[in-house]
Coordinates of all heavy atoms in Angstrom, one line a residue:
M438 N -41.5 -26.0 120.1 CA -41.1 -27.1 119.2 C -40.7 -26.5 117.9 O -41.3 -25.5 117.4 CB -42.3 -28.0 119.0 CG -42.0 -29.2 118.0 SD -43.3 -30.4 118.0 CE -42.4 -31.8 117.7
S439 N -39.6 -27.0 117.3 CA -39.0 -26.5 116.1 C -39.5 -27.4 114.9 O -39.6 -28.6 115.1 CB -37.5 -26.6 116.2 OG -36.9 -26.2 115.0
Y440 N -39.7 -26.8 113.8 CA -40.2 -27.5 112.6 C -39.1 -27.3 111.5 O -38.5 -26.2 111.4 CB -41.5 -27.0 112.1 CG -42.6 -27.4 113.1 CD1 -43.0 -26.5 114.1 CD2 -43.2 -28.6 113.1 CE1 -44.0 -26.8 115.0 CE2 -44.1 -29.0 114.0 CZ -44.5 -28.1 115.0 OH -45.5 -28.4 115.9
P441 N -39.0 -28.3 110.6 CA -38.0 -28.1 109.5 C -38.6 -27.0 108.6 O -39.7 -26.7 108.5 CB -38.1 -29.5 108.8 CG -39.3 -30.1 109.2 CD -39.7 -29.6 110.6
K442 N -37.6 -26.4 107.8 CA -38.0 -25.4 106.8 C -37.5 -25.9 105.4 O -36.6 -26.6 105.3 CB -37.3 -24.1 107.2 CG -37.8 -23.5 108.5 CD -37.2 -22.2 108.8 CE -37.7 -21.7 110.2 NZ -37.2 -20.4 110.5
N443 N -38.2 -25.5 104.4 CA -37.9 -25.8 103.0 C -36.7 -24.9 102.6 O -36.2 -24.1 103.3 CB -39.1 -25.8 102.1 CG -39.6 -24.4 101.8 OD1 -39.0 -23.4 102.2 ND2 -40.7 -24.3 101.1
Q444 N -36.3 -25.0 101.3 CA -35.2 -24.3 100.8 C -35.4 -22.7 100.8 O -34.5 -22.0 100.7 CB -34.8 -24.7 99.4 CG -35.8 -24.4 98.3 CD -36.9 -25.4 98.1 OE1 -37.2 -26.2 99.0 NE2 -37.5 -25.5 96.9
F445 N -36.7 -22.3 100.9 CA -37.0 -20.9 101.0 C -37.2 -20.4 102.4 O -37.5 -19.2 102.6 CB -38.3 -20.6 100.2 CG -38.1 -21.0 98.7 CD1 -38.9 -22.0 98.2 CD2 -37.3 -20.3 97.9 CE1 -38.8 -22.4 96.9 CE2 -37.2 -20.6 96.6 CZ -37.9 -21.7 96.0
G446 N -37.0 -21.3 103.4 CA -37.1 -20.9 104.8 C -38.5 -21.0 105.3 O -38.8 -20.5 106.4
V447 N -39.4 -21.6 104.5 CA -40.8 -21.7 104.9 C -41.0 -22.9 105.9 O -40.6 -24.0 105.5 CB -41.7 -21.9 103.7 CG1 -43.2 -22.0 104.1 CG2 -41.6 -20.7 102.8
P448 N -41.6 -22.7 107.1 CA -41.8 -23.8 108.0 C -42.7 -24.8 107.4 O -43.7 -24.5 106.8 CB -42.4 -23.1 109.2 CG -42.2 -21.7 109.1 CD -42.0 -21.4 107.6
Q449 N -42.4 -26.1 107.7 CA -43.2 -27.2 107.2 C -43.9 -27.8 108.4 O -43.5 -28.8 109.0 CB -42.2 -28.3 106.6 CG -41.4 -27.7 105.4 CD -42.3 -27.2 104.3 OE1 -42.9 -28.0 103.7 NE2 -42.3 -25.9 104.1
F450 N -45.1 -27.2 108.6 CA -46.0 -27.7 109.7 C -46.7 -29.0 109.3 O -46.9 -29.2 108.2 CB -47.0 -26.6 110.1 CG -46.3 -25.3 110.6 CD1 -46.4 -24.2 109.9 CD2 -45.7 -25.3 111.8 CE1 -45.8 -23.0 110.3 CE2 -45.1 -24.2 112.3 CZ -45.1 -23.0 111.6
P451 N -47.1 -29.8 110.3 CA -47.8 -31.0 110.0 C -49.1 -30.8 109.4 O -49.7 -29.7 109.5 CB -48.0 -31.7 111.4 CG -47.1 -30.9 112.4 CD -46.8 -29.6 111.8
D452 N -49.6 -31.8 108.7 CA -50.9 -31.7 108.1 C -52.0 -31.4 109.2 O -51.8 -31.8 110.3 CB -51.3 -33.0 107.4 CG -50.5 -33.3 106.1 OD1 -49.9 -32.3 105.6 OD2 -50.4 -34.4 105.7
H453 N -53.0 -30.7 108.8 CA -54.1 -30.4 109.7 C -53.7 -29.4 110.8 O -54.4 -29.2 111.8 CB -54.8 -31.6 110.2 CG -55.3 -32.5 109.2 ND1 -56.3 -32.1 108.3 CD2 -54.9 -33.7 108.8 CE1 -56.5 -33.1 107.4 NE2 -55.7 -34.1 107.7
D454 N -52.5 -28.8 110.7 CA -52.1 -27.8 111.7 C -52.5 -26.5 111.1 O -52.2 -26.1 109.9 CB -50.5 -27.9 111.8 CG -50.0 -27.0 112.9 OD1 -50.4 -25.8 113.0 OD2 -49.0 -27.4 113.6
A455 N -53.2 -25.7 111.9 CA -53.7 -24.4 111.4 C -52.6 -23.5 110.8 O -52.8 -22.7 109.9 CB -54.5 -23.7 112.5
R456 N -51.4 -23.6 111.3 CA -50.3 -22.8 110.9 C -50.0 -23.0 109.4 O -49.5 -22.1 108.7 CB -49.1 -23.0 111.7 CG -49.3 -22.5 113.2 CD -48.2 -22.8 114.1 NE -48.2 -24.3 114.3 CZ -47.4 -24.9 115.2 NH1 -46.5 -24.2 115.9 NH2 -47.4 -26.2 115.3
R457 N -50.3 -24.2 108.9 CA -50.1 -24.4 107.4 C -51.0 -23.5 106.6 O -50.7 -23.0 105.6 CB -50.5 -25.9 107.1 CG -49.5 -26.9 107.5 CD -49.9 -28.3 107.2 NE -50.0 -28.5 105.7 CZ -49.0 -28.9 105.0 NH1 -47.8 -29.0 105.5 NH2 -49.2 -29.1 103.7
L458 N -52.2 -23.2 107.2 CA -53.1 -22.2 106.5 C -52.5 -20.8 106.5 O -52.7 -20.1 105.6 CB -54.5 -22.3 107.2 CG -55.2 -23.6 107.2 CD1 -56.5 -23.5 108.0 CD2 -55.4 -24.1 105.8
F459 N -51.9 -20.5 107.6 CA -51.3 -19.2 107.7 C -50.1 -19.0 106.7 O -50.0 -18.0 106.1 CB -50.7 -18.9 109.1 CG -51.8 -19.0 110.2 CD1 -51.4 -19.2 111.5 CD2 -53.1 -18.9 110.0 CE1 -52.3 -19.3 112.6 CE2 -54.1 -19.0 111.0 CZ -53.6 -19.2 112.3
V460 N -49.4 -20.1 106.5 CA -48.3 -20.1 105.5 C -48.9 -19.9 104.1 O -48.4 -19.1 103.3 CB -47.5 -21.4 105.6 CG1 -46.6 -21.6 104.4 CG2 -46.6 -21.5 106.9
L461 N -50.0 -20.6 103.9 CA -50.6 -20.5 102.6 C -51.1 -19.1 102.3 O -50.9 -18.5 101.3 CB -51.8 -21.5 102.5 CG -52.7 -21.5 101.3 CD1 -51.9 -21.9 100.1 CD2 -53.9 -22.4 101.5
L462 N -51.8 -18.5 103.3 CA -52.3 -17.1 103.2 C -51.2 -16.1 103.0 O -51.3 -15.2 102.1 CB -53.2 -16.8 104.4 CG -53.9 -15.5 104.4 CD1 -54.9 -15.4 103.2 CD2 -54.7 -15.3 105.7
S463 N -50.1 -16.3 103.7 CA -49.0 -15.4 103.6 C -48.3 -15.5 102.2 O -47.9 -14.5 101.6 CB -47.9 -15.7 104.7 OG -48.5 -15.3 105.9
A464 N -48.3 -16.7 101.7 CA -47.7 -17.0 100.3 C -48.5 -16.3 99.3 O -48.0 -15.6 98.4 CB -47.6 -18.5 100.0
I465 N -49.9 -16.3 99.4 CA -50.7 -15.6 98.4 C -50.5 -14.1 98.5 O -50.4 -13.5 97.5 CB -52.2 -16.0 98.7 CG1 -52.5 -17.5 98.4 CG2 -53.1 -15.1 97.9 CD1 -53.8 -18.0 98.9
D466 N -50.3 -13.6 99.7 CA -50.1 -12.2 99.9 C -48.7 -11.8 99.3 O -48.5 -10.7 98.7 CB -50.1 -11.8 101.4 CG -50.0 -10.4 101.6 OD1 -50.8 -9.6 101.1 OD2 -49.1 -10.0 102.3
L467 N -47.7 -12.6 99.5 CA -46.3 -12.3 99.1 C -46.1 -12.5 97.6 O -45.4 -11.6 97.0 CB -45.4 -13.3 99.8 CG -43.9 -13.2 99.5 CD1 -43.3 -11.9 100.0 CD2 -43.2 -14.4 100.1
L468 N -46.6 -13.5 97.0 CA -46.3 -13.8 95.6 C -46.9 -12.7 94.6 O -48.1 -12.3 94.8 CB -46.8 -15.1 95.2 CG -46.1 -16.3 95.8 CD1 -46.9 -17.6 95.7 CD2 -44.7 -16.4 95.2
E469 N -46.2 -12.4 93.6 CA -46.7 -11.4 92.6 C -47.8 -12.1 91.8 O -48.8 -11.4 91.4 CB -45.6 -11.0 91.7 CG -45.9 -10.0 90.7 CD -44.8 -9.6 89.8 OE1 -43.7 -9.4 90.3 OE2 -45.0 -9.4 88.6
R470 N -47.7 -13.3 91.5 CA -48.7 -14.1 90.7 C -49.0 -15.4 91.4 O -48.5 -16.4 91.1 CB -48.2 -14.3 89.3 CG -49.2 -14.8 88.3 CD -48.6 -14.8 86.9 NE -49.6 -15.1 86.0 CZ -50.0 -16.3 85.6 NH1 -49.4 -17.4 86.1 NH2 -51.0 -16.5 84.7
P471 N -49.9 -15.3 92.5 CA -50.1 -16.5 93.3 C -51.1 -17.5 92.6 O -52.3 -17.5 92.8 CB -50.8 -15.9 94.6 CG -51.4 -14.6 94.1 CD -50.5 -14.1 93.0
T472 N -50.5 -18.4 91.9 CA -51.2 -19.5 91.3 C -51.0 -20.7 92.2 O -50.1 -20.7 93.0 CB -50.7 -19.8 89.9 OG1 -49.3 -20.2 90.0 CG2 -50.8 -18.6 88.9
V473 N -51.7 -21.8 91.9 CA -51.5 -23.0 92.7 C -50.1 -23.5 92.6 O -49.4 -23.9 93.6 CB -52.5 -24.1 92.3 CG1 -52.1 -25.5 92.9 CG2 -53.9 -23.7 92.7
S474 N -49.5 -23.5 91.4 CA -48.1 -23.9 91.2 C -47.1 -23.1 91.9 O -46.2 -23.6 92.6 CB -47.8 -24.0 89.7 OG -48.6 -24.9 89.1
A475 N -47.3 -21.8 91.9 CA -46.4 -20.8 92.5 C -46.5 -21.0 94.0 O -45.4 -21.0 94.7 CB -46.7 -19.4 92.1
I476 N -47.7 -21.1 94.6 CA -47.9 -21.3 96.0 C -47.2 -22.6 96.5 O -46.5 -22.7 97.5 CB -49.4 -21.3 96.3 CG1 -50.0 -19.9 96.1 CG2 -49.6 -21.7 97.8 CD1 -51.5 -19.9 96.0
A477 N -47.5 -23.7 95.7 CA -46.9 -25.0 96.1 C -45.4 -25.0 96.0 O -44.7 -25.5 96.9 CB -47.5 -26.1 95.1
D478 N -44.8 -24.3 95.0 CA -43.4 -24.2 94.9 C -42.8 -23.5 96.1 O -41.7 -23.9 96.6 CB -43.0 -23.5 93.6 CG -43.2 -24.4 92.3 OD1 -43.5 -25.6 92.5 OD2 -43.2 -23.8 91.2
L479 N -43.4 -22.4 96.5 CA -42.9 -21.6 97.6 C -43.0 -22.3 98.9 O -42.1 -22.3 99.8 CB -43.5 -20.2 97.6 CG -43.1 -19.3 98.8 CD1 -41.6 -19.0 98.7 CD2 -44.0 -18.0 98.8
T480 N -44.2 -22.9 99.2 CA -44.5 -23.4 100.5 C -44.2 -24.9 100.6 O -44.1 -25.4 101.8 CB -46.0 -23.2 100.8 OG1 -46.7 -24.0 99.8 CG2 -46.4 -21.8 100.7
S481 N -44.0 -25.6 99.5 CA -43.8 -27.1 99.5 C -45.1 -27.8 100.0 O -45.0 -28.9 100.4 CB -42.6 -27.5 100.4 OG -41.4 -27.0 99.9
Q482 N -46.2 -27.1 99.9 CA -47.5 -27.8 100.2 C -48.0 -28.5 98.9 O -47.7 -28.1 97.8 CB -48.5 -26.8 100.7 CG -48.1 -26.2 102.1 CD -49.1 -25.3 102.6 OE1 -50.3 -25.2 102.2 NE2 -48.8 -24.6 103.7
D483 N -48.8 -29.5 99.2 CA -49.3 -30.3 98.1 C -50.3 -29.5 97.2 O -51.2 -29.0 97.7 CB -50.0 -31.6 98.7 CG -50.5 -32.6 97.7 OD1 -50.4 -32.3 96.5 OD2 -51.0 -33.6 98.1
R484 N -50.0 -29.5 95.9 CA -50.9 -28.7 95.0 C -52.3 -29.2 95.1 O -53.2 -28.4 95.0 CB -50.4 -29.0 93.6 CG -49.2 -28.2 93.2 CD -48.7 -28.7 91.8 NE -47.7 -27.8 91.2 CZ -46.4 -27.9 91.6 NH1 -46.0 -28.7 92.5 NH2 -45.6 -27.0 91.0
D485 N -52.6 -30.5 95.3 CA -53.9 -31.0 95.3 C -54.7 -30.6 96.6 O -55.9 -30.7 96.6 CB -53.9 -32.5 95.3 CG -53.4 -33.0 93.9 OD1 -53.5 -32.3 92.9 OD2 -52.8 -34.2 93.9
R486 N -54.0 -30.1 97.6 CA -54.7 -29.7 98.8 C -54.9 -28.2 98.9 O -55.6 -27.7 99.8 CB -53.9 -30.1 100.0 CG -53.9 -31.6 100.2 CD -53.4 -32.1 101.5 NE -54.1 -31.4 102.6 CZ -53.7 -31.4 103.8 NH1 -52.6 -32.0 104.2 NH2 -54.4 -30.8 104.7
I487 N -54.3 -27.4 98.1 CA -54.4 -25.9 98.2 C -55.8 -25.4 98.1 O -56.2 -24.6 99.0 CB -53.4 -25.2 97.2 CG1 -51.9 -25.5 97.7 CG2 -53.7 -23.8 97.1 CD1 -50.9 -25.0 96.7
D488 N -56.6 -25.8 97.2 CA -57.9 -25.4 97.1 C -58.8 -25.7 98.3 O -59.6 -24.9 98.8 CB -58.6 -25.9 95.8 CG -58.2 -25.2 94.6 OD1 -57.9 -24.0 94.6 OD2 -58.2 -25.8 93.5
D489 N -58.6 -26.9 98.8 CA -59.3 -27.3 100.1 C -58.8 -26.4 101.3 O -59.7 -26.0 102.1 CB -59.0 -28.8 100.4 CG -59.7 -29.7 99.4 OD1 -60.6 -29.3 98.7 OD2 -59.2 -30.9 99.4
D490 N -57.5 -26.2 101.3 CA -57.1 -25.3 102.4 C -57.5 -23.9 102.3 O -57.8 -23.2 103.3 CB -55.5 -25.4 102.5 CG -55.0 -26.7 103.1 OD1 -55.8 -27.4 103.7 OD2 -53.8 -27.0 102.9
I491 N -57.7 -23.4 101.1 CA -58.3 -22.1 100.9 C -59.7 -22.0 101.4 O -60.2 -21.1 102.0 CB -58.1 -21.6 99.4 CG1 -56.6 -21.3 99.2 CG2 -59.0 -20.5 99.1 CD1 -56.2 -20.8 97.9
M492 N -60.4 -23.1 101.1 CA -61.8 -23.2 101.6 C -61.8 -23.2 103.1 O -62.7 -22.5 103.7 CB -62.5 -24.5 101.1 CG -63.9 -24.6 101.4 SD -64.9 -23.2 100.8 CE -64.9 -23.5 99.1
R493 N -60.9 -23.8 103.8 CA -60.8 -23.8 105.2 C -60.5 -22.4 105.7 O -61.1 -22.0 106.7 CB -59.6 -24.8 105.7 CG -60.0 -26.2 105.7 CD -58.9 -27.1 106.3 NE -58.7 -26.8 107.7 CZ -57.6 -27.0 108.3 NH1 -56.6 -27.6 107.7 NH2 -57.5 -26.7 109.6
L494 N -59.6 -21.7 105.0 CA -59.4 -20.3 105.4 C -60.7 -19.5 105.4 O -60.9 -18.6 106.3 CB -58.3 -19.6 104.5 CG -56.9 -20.0 104.8 CD1 -56.0 -19.6 103.6 CD2 -56.4 -19.3 106.1
R495 N -61.4 -19.7 104.4 CA -62.7 -19.0 104.2 C -63.7 -19.4 105.4 O -64.3 -18.5 106.0 CB -63.4 -19.3 102.9 CG -62.7 -18.7 101.7 CD -63.3 -19.1 100.4 NE -62.7 -18.5 99.3 CZ -62.5 -19.2 98.1 NH1 -62.8 -20.4 98.0 NH2 -61.9 -18.5 97.1
E496 N -63.8 -20.7 105.6 CA -64.8 -21.2 106.5 C -64.4 -20.9 108.0 O -65.2 -20.5 108.8 CB -65.1 -22.6 106.3 CG -65.8 -22.9 105.0 CD -65.9 -24.4 104.7 OE1 -65.4 -25.3 105.5 OE2 -66.5 -24.8 103.7
E497 N -63.2 -21.2 108.3 CA -62.7 -21.2 109.7 C -62.3 -19.8 110.2 O -62.3 -19.5 111.4 CB -61.6 -22.2 109.9 CG -62.0 -23.7 109.7 CD -60.9 -24.7 109.8 OE1 -59.9 -24.3 110.4 OE2 -61.1 -25.8 109.3
F498 N -61.8 -19.0 109.3 CA -61.2 -17.7 109.7 C -61.9 -16.5 109.0 O -61.5 -15.4 109.3 CB -59.7 -17.7 109.4 CG -58.9 -18.7 110.2 CD1 -58.5 -19.9 109.6 CD2 -58.7 -18.5 111.6 CE1 -57.8 -20.9 110.4 CE2 -58.0 -19.5 112.3 CZ -57.6 -20.7 111.7
G499 N -62.8 -16.7 108.1 CA -63.5 -15.6 107.5 C -62.7 -14.9 106.5 O -63.1 -13.7 106.2
V500 N -61.6 -15.5 106.0 CA -60.8 -14.8 105.0 C -61.6 -14.7 103.7 O -62.3 -15.7 103.3 CB -59.5 -15.6 104.7 CG1 -58.7 -15.0 103.6 CG2 -58.7 -15.6 106.0
V501 N -61.6 -13.6 103.0 CA -62.3 -13.4 101.7 C -61.2 -13.5 100.6 O -60.4 -12.6 100.5 CB -63.0 -12.1 101.6 CG1 -63.7 -12.0 100.3 CG2 -64.0 -12.0 102.8
L502 N -61.2 -14.6 99.9 CA -60.3 -14.9 98.8 C -61.1 -15.1 97.5 O -62.1 -15.8 97.5 CB -59.5 -16.1 99.1 CG -58.3 -16.1 100.0 CD1 -57.9 -17.5 100.4 CD2 -57.2 -15.4 99.4
H503 N -60.5 -14.6 96.4 CA -61.1 -14.8 95.1 C -60.1 -15.4 94.2 O -58.9 -15.2 94.3 CB -61.6 -13.5 94.5 CG -62.7 -12.9 95.3 ND1 -64.0 -13.3 95.4 CD2 -62.6 -11.8 96.1 CE1 -64.6 -12.5 96.2 NE2 -63.8 -11.6 96.7
K504 N -60.5 -16.2 93.3 CA -59.7 -16.8 92.2 C -60.1 -16.3 90.9 O -61.3 -16.5 90.5 CB -59.7 -18.3 92.3 CG -58.7 -19.0 91.4 CD -58.7 -20.5 91.6 CE -57.6 -21.1 90.8 NZ -57.6 -22.6 90.9
V505 N -59.3 -15.5 90.2 CA -59.6 -14.9 88.9 C -58.7 -15.7 87.9 O -57.5 -15.5 88.0 CB -59.4 -13.4 88.9 CG1 -59.7 -12.9 87.5 CG2 -60.2 -12.7 89.9
G506 N -59.3 -16.5 87.1 CA -58.5 -17.4 86.3 C -57.7 -18.3 87.1 O -58.3 -19.1 87.9
E507 N -56.4 -18.3 87.1 CA -55.6 -19.1 87.9 C -55.0 -18.4 89.1 O -54.3 -19.0 90.0 CB -54.4 -19.6 87.1 CG -54.8 -20.5 85.9 CD -53.6 -21.0 85.2 OE1 -52.5 -20.7 85.5 OE2 -53.8 -21.8 84.2
I508 N -55.3 -17.1 89.3 CA -54.6 -16.3 90.3 C -55.5 -16.0 91.4 O -56.7 -15.5 91.3 CB -54.1 -15.0 89.6 CG1 -53.1 -15.3 88.5 CG2 -53.5 -14.1 90.7 CD1 -52.7 -14.1 87.7
Y509 N -55.0 -16.2 92.6 CA -55.7 -15.9 93.9 C -55.5 -14.4 94.3 O -54.4 -13.9 94.1 CB -55.3 -16.8 95.0 CG -55.7 -18.2 94.9 CD1 -54.8 -19.2 94.4 CD2 -57.0 -18.6 95.2 CE1 -55.2 -20.5 94.2 CE2 -57.4 -19.9 95.1 CZ -56.5 -20.9 94.6 OH -56.9 -22.2 94.4
H510 N -56.6 -13.8 94.8 CA -56.5 -12.5 95.3 C -57.1 -12.4 96.7 O -58.2 -13.0 96.9 CB -57.3 -11.5 94.4 CG -56.8 -11.4 93.1 ND1 -55.7 -10.6 92.7 CD2 -57.1 -12.0 91.9 CE1 -55.4 -10.8 91.4 NE2 -56.3 -11.6 90.9
I511 N -56.5 -11.8 97.7 CA -57.0 -11.6 99.0 C -57.8 -10.3 99.0 O -57.2 -9.3 98.8 CB -55.9 -11.6 100.1 CG1 -55.1 -12.9 100.1 CG2 -56.5 -11.3 101.5 CD1 -53.8 -12.8 100.9
E512 N -59.1 -10.4 99.3 CA -59.9 -9.2 99.5 C -59.8 -8.7 100.9 O -59.8 -7.5 101.2 CB -61.3 -9.5 99.0 CG -62.2 -8.3 99.1 CD -63.6 -8.5 98.6 OE1 -63.8 -9.2 97.6 OE2 -64.5 -8.1 99.3
S513 N -59.9 -9.7 101.8 CA -59.9 -9.4 103.3 C -59.3 -10.5 104.1 O -59.6 -11.7 103.8 CB -61.3 -9.1 103.7 OG -61.4 -9.0 105.1
W514 N -58.5 -10.2 105.1 CA -58.0 -11.2 106.0 C -59.1 -11.6 107.0 O -58.9 -12.5 107.8 CB -56.8 -10.7 106.7 CG -55.6 -10.6 105.8 CD1 -55.4 -9.9 104.7 CD2 -54.4 -11.4 105.9 NE1 -54.2 -10.1 104.1 CE2 -53.5 -11.0 104.9 CE3 -53.9 -12.3 106.8 CZ2 -52.3 -11.6 104.7 CZ3 -52.7 -12.9 106.7 CH2 -51.9 -12.5 105.6
G515 N -60.3 -11.0 107.0 CA -61.3 -11.4 107.9 C -61.2 -10.7 109.2 O -60.3 -9.9 109.5
D516 N -62.1 -11.1 110.1 CA -62.2 -10.5 111.4 C -61.2 -11.2 112.4 O -60.9 -10.6 113.4 CB -63.6 -10.5 112.0 CG -64.5 -9.6 111.2 OD1 -64.0 -8.6 110.6 OD2 -65.7 -9.8 111.2
V517 N -60.9 -12.4 112.1 CA -60.1 -13.2 113.1 C -58.6 -13.0 112.9 O -57.9 -12.7 113.9 CB -60.4 -14.7 112.9 CG1 -59.5 -15.6 113.8 CG2 -61.9 -15.0 113.2
L518 N -58.1 -13.0 111.7 CA -56.7 -12.9 111.4 C -56.3 -11.5 111.1 O -57.0 -10.8 110.4 CB -56.3 -13.8 110.2 CG -56.6 -15.3 110.4 CD1 -56.2 -16.1 109.1 CD2 -55.8 -15.9 111.6
Q519 N -55.1 -11.1 111.5 CA -54.5 -9.8 111.2 C -53.3 -10.1 110.4 O -52.4 -10.8 110.9 CB -54.3 -9.0 112.4 CG -55.5 -8.6 113.2 CD -55.2 -7.8 114.4 OE1 -54.0 -7.5 114.7 NE2 -56.2 -7.5 115.2
K520 N -53.1 -9.5 109.3 CA -51.9 -9.7 108.4 C -50.6 -9.5 109.2 O -49.8 -10.4 109.1 CB -52.0 -8.7 107.2 CG -50.8 -8.9 106.3 CD -51.0 -7.9 105.1 CE -49.7 -7.9 104.3 NZ -49.9 -7.1 103.1
N521 N -50.5 -8.4 109.9 CA -49.2 -8.2 110.6 C -49.0 -9.2 111.7 O -47.8 -9.7 111.9 CB -49.3 -6.8 111.3 CG -49.2 -5.7 110.2 OD1 -48.7 -5.9 109.1 ND2 -49.7 -4.5 110.6
G522 N -50.0 -9.7 112.4 CA -49.9 -10.7 113.4 C -49.4 -12.0 112.8 O -48.5 -12.7 113.3
V523 N -50.0 -12.4 111.7 CA -49.7 -13.7 111.0 C -48.3 -13.6 110.5 O -47.5 -14.6 110.7 CB -50.7 -14.0 109.9 CG1 -50.2 -15.2 109.1 CG2 -52.1 -14.3 110.4
T524 N -47.9 -12.5 109.9 CA -46.5 -12.4 109.4 C -45.5 -12.4 110.5 O -44.5 -13.1 110.4 CB -46.4 -11.0 108.6 OG1 -47.4 -11.0 107.6 CG2 -45.1 -10.9 108.0
R525 N -45.7 -11.7 111.6 CA -44.8 -11.7 112.7 C -44.7 -13.1 113.3 O -43.6 -13.6 113.6 CB -45.2 -10.8 113.8 CG -44.8 -9.3 113.6 CD -45.0 -8.5 114.8 NE -46.3 -8.6 115.5 CZ -47.4 -7.9 115.2 NH1 -47.3 -7.0 114.3 NH2 -48.5 -8.2 115.9
F526 N -45.8 -13.8 113.4 CA -45.8 -15.2 114.0 C -45.0 -16.1 113.1 O -44.2 -16.9 113.6 CB -47.3 -15.7 114.0 CG -47.4 -17.1 114.4 CD1 -47.2 -17.5 115.8 CD2 -47.6 -18.1 113.5 CE1 -47.3 -18.9 116.1 CE2 -47.7 -19.4 113.8 CZ -47.5 -19.8 115.2
L527 N -45.1 -16.1 111.8 CA -44.4 -16.9 110.9 C -42.9 -16.6 110.9 O -42.1 -17.5 110.8 CB -45.0 -16.9 109.5 CG -46.3 -17.5 109.4 CD1 -46.9 -17.3 108.0 CD2 -46.3 -19.0 109.7
K528 N -42.6 -15.4 111.0 CA -41.1 -15.0 111.1 C -40.5 -15.5 112.4 O -39.3 -15.8 112.4 CB -41.0 -13.5 111.0 CG -41.2 -13.0 109.6 CD -41.0 -11.5 109.5 CE -41.3 -11.0 108.1 NZ -41.1 -9.5 108.0
A529 N -41.2 -15.7 113.4 CA -40.7 -16.2 114.7 C -40.5 -17.7 114.7 O -39.8 -18.2 115.5 CB -41.6 -15.8 115.8
Q530 N -41.0 -18.4 113.7 CA -40.9 -19.8 113.6 C -39.6 -20.2 113.2 O -38.9 -20.3 112.4 CB -42.0 -20.4 112.8 CG -43.4 -20.2 113.3 CD -43.7 -20.7 114.6 OE1 -43.4 -21.9 114.9 NE2 -44.1 -19.9 115.6

């Protein structure tokens, strides 16, 4: 199934689709200064849901993320997700 993409080529997966979390995690990794606003601008995801989705990444996939001030930092992708695998998967979309 094909999904629409935003102006930056980011796939727009339906709400509650785990792939939205992968997009979010990849955006944090890609952005130089990953703030809620920057993440929302790149991904077209709702600013109000980003913190909840980050909590889901922590709980469901074991991702270790920290927020220092307004900026998110990935400490570990966890045992479930592999950065290269997620990146390749999203490029194929």
Side-chain angles (χ1 to χ4, degrees):
M438 179 172 212
S439 176
Y440 293 95
K442 296 182 179 182
N443 70 7
Q444 70 270 25
F445 301 111
V447 177
Q449 301 299 293
F450 296 110
D452 290 343
H453 304 294
D454 186 319
R456 292 172 293 186
R457 288 178 63 86
L458 301 177
F459 302 161
V460 166
L461 176 63
L462 187 58
S463 293
I465 293 168
D466 185 60
L467 174 71
L468 290 166
E469 184 177 320
R470 192 169 188 274
T472 63
V473 169
S474 293
I476 295 165
D478 289 346
L479 177 62
T480 64
S481 299
Q482 293 186 11
D483 185 355
R484 284 173 169 78
D485 295 334
R486 292 194 52 194
I487 289 175
D488 283 328
D489 290 341
D490 286 345
I491 287 180
M492 186 59 69
R493 284 185 61 203
L494 281 166
R495 289 175 177 141
E496 292 174 357
E497 295 176 21
F498 296 103
V500 175
V501 180
L502 281 165
H503 301 287
K504 188 174 183 182
V505 178
E507 296 181 359
I508 301 173
Y509 289 98
H510 298 278
I511 300 171
E512 182 177 317
S513 167
W514 285 64
D516 293 333
V517 177
L518 300 179
Q519 295 180 2
K520 179 180 176 178
N521 292 336
V523 171
T524 303
R525 277 193 314 271
F526 173 77
L527 291 174
K528 286 182 180 177
Q530 297 301 306

